Amino acid sequence: MRNMIQYRRLGEGEICRALFRGFRRRQVVTKCWRRENGAWVIRDDPFVDDWSEADYETLVSCLKNTVVTGGVVFAAFVDGALKGFASVEGTLFGGENRYLDLTSIHVSEEARGSGIGSALFRQAKEWAREHGAEKLYISAHSAVESQAFYRRMGCVEAQEYSREHTEAEPFDCQLECALNEAAQST
């Protein structure tokens, strides 16, 4: 993508189904990380992850709720069309209230590999740090490609698992990303 990419925060009133008109969530998955007998292994698990109309409606509702309850939604636009977004909830959680939850980060299929995901992830980290978090928490898709992205961003297995996330998405990998530079280098 050589086009100009514009990044900005979204307001509640902007978040609607029409915003996602040019967004394509589709992901062809062949291999996933699975935890077996206490160890992480890669297993064949082919499927296509593609959002239905009902999934988009749920997404719109969730993103609006994020903004209304003190969180943030960052978006990336190419030629005026949404091509990526990330959301961070506004409530600290964890044993020492160290985490803020990165509840979504997605890049439209045709825009992957353009740097949009990395830029959105950095914006989410900075916002979380500014709002008192020590770590970003991510309940992440277990696809090998998704996990490679999170590892490149500095994520590691979460020290503390969110029960809410593990019950909702048992095959997700529970990750965290330290927000201060000293913690990232250790």
Side-chain angles (χ1 to χ4, degrees):
M1 295 197 99
R2 297 196 182 277
N3 301 349
M4 182 71 156
I5 303 169
Q6 177 196 23
Y7 297 93
R8 64 180 176 80
R9 287 175 68 159
L10 293 179
E12 176 196 1
E14 297 177 89
I15 303 169
C16 62
R17 178 61 182 101
L19 179 66
F20 297 91
R21 187 176 24 248
F23 190 89
R24 187 171 165 138
R25 166 60 183 100
R26 191 170 190 275
Q27 181 177 2
V28 177
V29 177
T30 56
K31 296 184 179 296
C32 291
W33 285 96
R34 295 289 183 251
R35 192 168 185 93
E36 296 177 4
N37 301 319
W40 286 100
V41 296
I42 296 175
R43 292 284 179 235
D44 289 330
D45 190 8
F47 64 96
V48 176
D49 193 1
D50 202 357
W51 289 342
S52 68
E53 187 59 33
D55 292 330
Y56 278 104
E57 292 297 331
T58 298
L59 173 68
V60 166
S61 176
C62 289
L63 293 178
K64 283 182 173 232
N65 185 65
T66 295
V67 173
V68 168
T69 59
V72 68
V73 178
F74 291 107
F77 294 88
V78 177
D79 296 332
L82 179 74
K83 294 300 174 184
F85 63 94
S87 59
V88 181
E89 300 305 313
T91 304
L92 290 163
F93 72 97
E96 298 173 19
N97 289 328
R98 308 181 302 196
Y99 293 111
L100 277 179
D101 197 354
L102 178 79
T103 44
S104 65
I105 183 166
H106 297 283
V107 176
S108 191
E109 184 178 36
E110 75 283 358
R112 293 181 192 139
S114 65
I116 288 173
S118 297
L120 289 169
F121 193 86
R122 286 190 299 273
Q123 289 176 355
K125 282 176 55 177
E126 182 60 30
W127 187 89
R129 182 178 21 253
E130 290 171 357
H131 287 81
E134 292 179 27
K135 298 178 180 185
L136 206 52
Y137 188 93
I138 307 105
S139 181
H141 197 293
S142 61
V144 167
E145 299 83 2
S146 298
Q147 289 301 303
F149 166 79
Y150 288 113
R151 298 297 173 173
R152 283 193 309 274
M153 295 295 100
C155 298
V156 298
E157 186 173 357
Q159 292 177 355
E160 210 179 308
Y161 276 28
S162 161
R163 184 173 158 195
E164 178 183 343
H165 283 302
T166 56
E167 288 176 358
E169 294 287 348
F171 292 115
D172 274 7
C173 298
Q174 306 304 308
L175 305 174
E176 66 181 40
C177 185
L179 300 178
N180 61 28
E181 299 305 318
Q184 290 178 338
S185 63
T186 58

